[in-house]
Amino acid sequence: MHAIGIDLGTSGIRLALLDPEGARIHSAHRALPASVGGDEQRAEQNPALWWAIVRELLREAAAHLHGEPAAIAVDGTSATLLRLDADGRPTHPALMYNDARATDMLSVLAGVAPADSAVHSPSSSAAKLLWLRRHEGLSGVRRVLHQADWIAGRLRGRFDRMDENNALKLGYDALWGGWPNWLQETLGSDASLLPEVVPAGTVLGPLAPEMAESLHLNPACRVVAGTTDSIAGFLASGVDDATTGVTSLGSTLVIKQLAPEPIYAPELGIYSHRLLGRWLVGGASNSGGAVLRQHFDDAALERLSAAIDPETDSGLDYLPLPRRGERFPVNDPELKPRLTPRPEDDARFLQGLFEGVARVEHDGYERLSELGAPRVERVVSLGGGAQNPVWTRIRSRILGLPVTTAEDDDAASGAARLARIGVGLEPGFTG
């Protein structure tokens, strides 16, 4: 059986097709338009855009399958929430991973949710759901799902399951293994909107027959419960030990590492996912490549990077955030970017941005170590930022660790690997 991974990332949608031995034989990518919103705290997208692209990518992949069945898993941006009607159709635009309008729900959550829950952020799914319930109402809504769960539901023709990695920021208790009482009591009758939760990698069922026909796929294809985009990136890296950190440098900065026990510190934006029988700890910062894009295009980044001496500090003390608000390693929705003074030399300004993001990365790993995670001895990098050798050397200097680039940094490949594990084509973690 082949494996297909679909990655709904922050800037586009990717597909990876692996052969029965796990080698990638096809990949494709489509860009997504930027999220829209009425102010800087709001970010929405039309889910129909995702589905149109996914259909197109799957039809392309079908030509490479030659009628052979495949296991399919989908990853999506964490805490991107959809409201669905009884037939699984979105009733409104999706609230994206970085939508932070629900600041007034933090006091509500502080009064009902345990301190170690992953919901204590205005961008959490739980905060979004409570905000919608209070401010817009949930009339006509029969189910809430995340981005990856909805695409998997479209493929199956059923919208009744959610993977436990995406469910975490909706309040799911990964230690206990269920929706907690505090959430159900807070939602009251709206608790019926919550789906069944299953571990990432669970076989959900076959492709719906009409979907198989429409996409030119074998009806024997199996849909496997997916995960978040950052966890899919971790799976793509192949890292299998607790002393290697994995940093994803895309639009945002995400760090993760395996640990023997879960760590929950929502006041620092740190949470833990159960993954294939292990614990994956880490956090996601709003800092990252999106800040660079506000100032430089690709050509300028390449030209200016060549003028930087990565071994000499710029002397600039920046906190590179794309807008107000941070999630990790501090959780402060009011934290403001610090990008001044700006020197006349653009190369020095870019170096200051590189160093600022690297300090956020350094502080993230330090917080994990202070809270009991094994101390990281090396870092493997994923994402577009990992391809910049000057930035990599700056990060290595500031981290005080060797930093290398993953052989495979495609989250779609990680989703495909999860699909393979789900149907028994390869084992899970072995270390």
Side-chain angles (χ1 to χ4, degrees):
M1 180 176 280
H2 291 68
I4 295 174
I6 300 168
D7 165 49
L8 293 94
T10 55
S11 60
I13 299 178
R14 290 173 169 80
L15 179 144
L17 173 60
L18 309 184
D19 69 15
E21 286 70 47
R24 183 162 51 184
I25 58 174
H26 171 70
S27 61
H29 168 257
R30 299 290 187 278
L32 275 172
S35 301
V36 298
D39 56 55
E40 67 172 11
Q41 297 299 93
R42 298 180 180 226
E44 298 181 348
Q45 277 186 1
N46 181 355
L49 294 172
W50 315 333
W51 179 240
I53 293 173
V54 168
R55 285 174 62 94
E56 180 182 346
L57 294 178
L58 284 171
R59 283 173 172 159
E60 290 178 8
H64 297 268
L65 281 168
H66 306 295
E68 294 297 314
I72 305 172
V74 185
D75 74 74
T77 49
S78 177
T80 293
L81 191 70
L82 294 89
R83 292 160 280 175
L84 309 177
D85 66 16
D87 295 318
R89 293 185 297 251
T91 61
H92 298 79
L95 273 63
M96 298 303 291
Y97 67 97
N98 57 341
D99 188 297
R101 72 184 69 178
T103 54
D104 59 338
M105 293 297 103
L106 295 182
S107 60
V108 175
L109 288 165
V112 294
D116 60 1
S117 174
V119 303
H120 298 284
S121 163
S123 61
S124 75
S125 312
K128 290 181 173 85
L129 179 56
L130 293 181
W131 188 94
L132 292 168
R133 188 169 179 260
R134 172 179 289 184
H135 295 284
E136 296 187 1
L138 297 171
S139 176
V141 179
R142 296 295 178 265
R143 180 73 73 207
V144 291
L145 287 180
H146 293 99
Q147 190 177 37
D149 309 306
W150 181 68
I151 294 295
R154 290 297 307 257
L155 295 171
R156 297 171 57 224
R158 297 175 61 92
F159 302 88
D160 55 351
R161 288 185 170 183
M162 177 182 291
D163 77 80
E164 66 179 357
N165 297 154
N166 274 294
L168 197 71
K169 290 187 178 180
L170 190 50
Y172 181 78
D173 189 325
L175 277 171
W176 172 63
W179 295 115
N181 290 336
W182 68 261
L183 179 62
Q184 298 191 60
E185 292 170 0
T186 302
L187 290 174
S189 62
D190 289 327
S192 63
L193 304 179
L194 302 173
E196 177 187 358
V197 177
V198 298
T202 300
V203 176
L204 299 174
L207 201 62
E210 63 276 12
M211 194 59 61
E213 181 178 0
S214 170
L215 298 174
H216 313 300
L217 292 170
N218 190 311
C221 288
R222 292 291 182 267
V223 182
V224 175
T227 185
T228 67
D229 57 342
S230 61
I231 293 178
F234 183 94
L235 288 168
S237 75
V239 168
D240 203 20
D241 66 277
T243 58
T244 299
V246 175
T247 296
S248 177
L249 272 175
S251 299
T252 60
L253 180 148
V254 182
I255 72 170
K256 295 190 181 296
Q257 70 176 111
L258 291 168
E261 301 292 338
I263 297 174
Y264 294 103
E267 71 280 6
L268 300 174
I270 296 170
Y271 48 89
S272 298
H273 288 279
R274 194 192 302 273
L275 181 65
L276 305 174
R278 303 275 286 277
W279 288 99
L280 189 62
V281 305
S285 168
N286 288 335
S287 188
V291 185
L292 307 182
R293 295 291 184 190
Q294 291 177 339
H295 301 279
F296 304 109
D297 59 20
D298 285 345
L301 286 171
E302 183 175 358
R303 174 176 53 82
L304 295 171
S305 292
I308 293 172
D309 176 5
E311 306 305 328
T312 301
D313 196 87
S314 70
L316 298 168
D317 182 25
Y318 291 160
L319 176 59
L321 297 172
R323 63 185 187 185
R324 184 180 62 191
E326 175 60 303
R327 299 176 288 168
F328 168 79
V330 295
N331 187 358
D332 182 355
E334 300 302 321
L335 189 64
K336 295 181 179 179
R338 187 172 64 251
L339 298 173
T340 56
R342 176 164 180 166
E344 293 184 5
D345 182 357
D346 281 346
R348 184 167 171 241
F349 177 60
L350 176 59
Q351 181 176 354
L353 295 178
F354 282 162
E355 291 169 349
V357 177
R359 282 191 288 270
V360 173
E361 181 182 9
H362 171 275
D363 291 349
Y365 282 117
E366 283 296 308
R367 297 296 88 76
L368 293 182
S369 177
E370 291 167 1
L371 291 168
R375 182 162 287 277
V376 166
E377 297 175 0
R378 70 183 184 108
V379 170
V380 172
S381 301
L382 315 170
Q387 308 308 313
N388 186 310
V390 171
W391 198 4
T392 297
R393 288 170 62 189
I394 288 172
R395 291 170 53 223
S396 182
R397 169 171 59 83
I398 290 175
L399 289 168
L401 298 170
V403 178
T404 59
T405 301
E407 292 185 9
D408 192 342
D409 68 350
D410 188 350
S413 294
R417 183 185 174 207
L418 183 61
R420 284 174 51 80
I421 294 169
V423 298
L425 292 176
E426 68 172 275
F429 296 130
T430 58

